[in-house]
Amino acid sequence: MTNGDIFVGETLGTSILVLLGVGVCAAVTLNRSKAQHAGWLAITFGWGFAVLAGAYASVSLSGAHLNPAVTLGIAVKTGEWDKVPLYLAGQFTGAVIGAVLAWATYLGQFREHGEPVLGVFATSPEIRHPIQNVITETIATMVLVIVILTQGLTDGLALSGTGVLITALLVVGIGLSLGGPTGYAINPVRDLGPRLAHSFLPIPGKGGSDWSYAWVPVVGPTLGGLAAGGLYRLAF
């Protein structure tokens, strides 16, 4: 993979992931949306399909990390760190682009809603306790990354259509089982990129971007990715 392939692949894949993921949150949340009040199942499956689409679009270019936690877990597993900044740059760029595209798609609904909409873009806890919230995000991300890393134990699975499908279904499962406390960021740029977009987009009555909480969905998934990489090295 060339540097250009990695950056383009991660930007493209993450932008699709976030466009569809933020898009399902907008669909379920905003007034005058046909999917309003569709509920948690719609959100969890929407994010799973978002991962599926983003990963299929980028797997041949960059390997479809689409998540700094995955990139860090792979780096710990392999000991190869030189491409990590490039992956992270593409992922963050794609996350901001995807969030802006979701806003443009639902522009009329955002104008009609007229109430705080941070929940469309970023995660927030049901019980605000930063240490508890970090633990939740760390555990959920460990599950995600260790399953992704162990796919490599089966020849060809990690870069096959089956591997991408397993990861997408895993994201649905994490959302259903572990997503209730914090909204399961499990991906630092999935939260940080859209939160930044929320802060600068001209959305009427959008409310604050809650930067005091923003470190939690960055630190928790980062710790989870690193821990999963370390666990892989110990166990396998």
Side-chain angles (χ1 to χ4, degrees):
M1 299 176 187
T2 67
N3 289 346
D5 287 343
I6 290 171
F7 184 79
V8 170
E10 291 299 295
T11 300
L12 173 65
T14 309
S15 65
I16 292 172
L17 186 159
V18 171
L19 167 59
L20 298 183
V22 171
V24 72
C25 292
V28 170
T29 302
L30 298 178
N31 294 333
R32 306 290 296 274
S33 165
K34 293 182 182 294
Q36 190 178 24
H37 307 309
W40 189 245
L41 281 175
I43 289 174
T44 55
F45 275 92
W47 274 103
F49 293 142
V51 170
L52 186 70
Y56 270 128
S58 61
V59 67
S60 63
L61 286 171
S62 65
H65 295 191
L66 313 186
N67 182 342
V70 173
T71 299
L72 292 172
I74 292 172
V76 173
K77 170 187 171 182
T78 63
E80 298 175 1
W81 292 85
D82 57 314
K83 302 292 186 183
V84 168
L86 189 60
Y87 273 95
L88 269 55
Q91 291 157 5
F92 181 74
T93 301
V96 175
I97 292 171
V100 172
L101 291 174
W103 164 76
T105 303
Y106 283 89
L107 183 60
Q109 283 71 29
F110 279 112
R111 287 174 175 168
E112 291 284 333
H113 197 71
E115 299 175 13
V117 292
L118 179 60
V120 171
F121 292 89
T123 62
S124 62
E126 290 299 303
I127 299 173
R128 198 179 186 96
H129 189 291
I131 301 304
Q132 174 185 318
N133 304 147
V134 167
I135 290 170
T136 298
E137 287 289 339
T138 300
I139 292 170
T141 308
M142 282 183 65
V143 173
L144 172 69
V145 178
I146 195 65
V147 173
I148 290 173
L149 294 180
T150 53
Q151 290 179 25
L153 298 174
T154 302
D155 290 342
L157 182 60
L159 294 179
S160 71
T162 305
V164 172
L165 180 60
I166 289 171
T167 301
L169 293 174
L170 173 63
V171 170
V172 174
I174 290 172
L176 293 174
S177 299
L178 306 177
T182 61
Y184 74 116
I186 60 174
N187 180 340
V189 299
R190 168 268 173 273
D191 188 279
L192 185 60
R195 193 182 298 269
L196 178 62
H198 173 271
S199 73
F200 67 72
L201 286 171
I203 304 172
K206 65 181 177 179
S209 300
D210 195 10
W211 288 108
S212 65
Y213 180 77
W215 66 273
V216 172
V218 172
V219 171
T222 298
L223 293 175
L226 293 170
L231 177 62
Y232 181 93
R233 288 180 68 95
L234 287 174
F236 298 99

